[in-house]
């Protein structure tokens, strides 16, 4: 349970990287709330066409800072030029949506720390049965 949760809430993830990130966030004491798959952001893509991007998570810190998080494997992000695309998304993003955007890859998600976080969550929240690999 995060401070913003009035009752237990389901958080969805679509990959192992997203699961690792979520486990690491849920054990932090400076997180107020986490939203999975928040509202899509409309922007103009590099090709000049209208596009939209849905962040994987919106993390709200206890101090009120909002962080829009995109999670991608490093090689995939590099091959599609995702960093440049994410900059366009950030420029079009409404100020009230988030204070900053970040790209998280496997390079920022320590596998051992994520497993430890998953174990801690399983001990404190018996309904969680997944474990980060």
């Amino acid at each position: 349970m995060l401070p913003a949760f009035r009752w237990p809430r389901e958080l969805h993830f679509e990959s192992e990287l997203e699961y690792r990130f979520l486990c690491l966030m849920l054990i932090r004491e400076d997180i107020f709330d986490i939203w999975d798959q928040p509202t899509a952001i409309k922007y103009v893509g590099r090709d000049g066409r209208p596009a939209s991007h849905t962040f994987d998570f919106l993390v709200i810190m206890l101090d009120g800072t909002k962080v829009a998080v995109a999670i991608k494997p490093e090689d995939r992000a590099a091959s599609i030029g995702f960093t440049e695309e994410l900059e366009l998304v950030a420029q079009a993003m409404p100020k009230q949506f988030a204070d900053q955007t970040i790209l998280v890859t496997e390079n920022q998600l320590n596998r051992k720390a994520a497993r430890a976080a998953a174990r801690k969550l399983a001990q404190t929240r018996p309904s969680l049965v997944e474990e980060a690999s």
Side-chain angles (χ1 to χ4, degrees):
M1 296 284 289
L2 293 173
F5 292 10
R6 293 187 188 267
W7 53 85
R9 193 172 86 206
E10 283 187 23
L11 292 170
H12 299 270
F13 55 91
E14 298 174 344
S15 69
E16 178 188 341
L17 289 178
E18 289 182 21
Y19 180 68
R20 278 195 240 163
F21 175 82
L22 192 55
C23 287
L24 290 165
M25 292 300 105
L26 287 171
I27 64 166
R28 288 178 50 165
E29 295 184 8
D30 60 343
I31 306 293
F32 178 72
D33 201 359
I34 298 176
W35 287 96
D36 56 291
Q37 301 289 306
T39 305
I41 303 298
K42 295 186 184 318
Y43 69 102
V44 176
R46 287 179 289 177
D47 60 3
R49 293 188 202 177
S52 66
H53 176 76
T54 301
F55 284 94
D56 296 299
F57 298 102
L58 180 64
V59 178
I60 304 167
M61 311 299 289
L62 283 176
D63 69 3
T65 302
K66 296 179 194 171
V67 183
V69 181
I71 299 176
K72 292 255 186 277
E74 180 74 33
D75 59 345
R76 172 103 172 106
S79 72
I80 63 172
F82 188 70
T83 303
E84 294 82 13
E85 198 75 16
L86 196 56
E87 288 175 15
L88 296 173
V89 175
Q91 291 170 8
M93 187 173 62
K95 299 284 185 224
Q96 68 273 17
F97 182 81
D99 301 298
Q100 62 183 11
T101 62
I102 61 170
L103 170 61
V104 175
T105 70
E106 67 274 12
N107 296 333
Q108 289 89 35
L109 297 174
N110 181 290
R111 193 178 291 255
K112 188 175 181 178
R115 274 196 299 271
R119 281 191 297 276
K120 182 176 182 177
L121 288 168
Q123 291 167 352
T124 59
R125 296 163 179 89
S127 64
L128 294 177
V129 294
E130 297 278 347
E131 183 168 328
S133 29

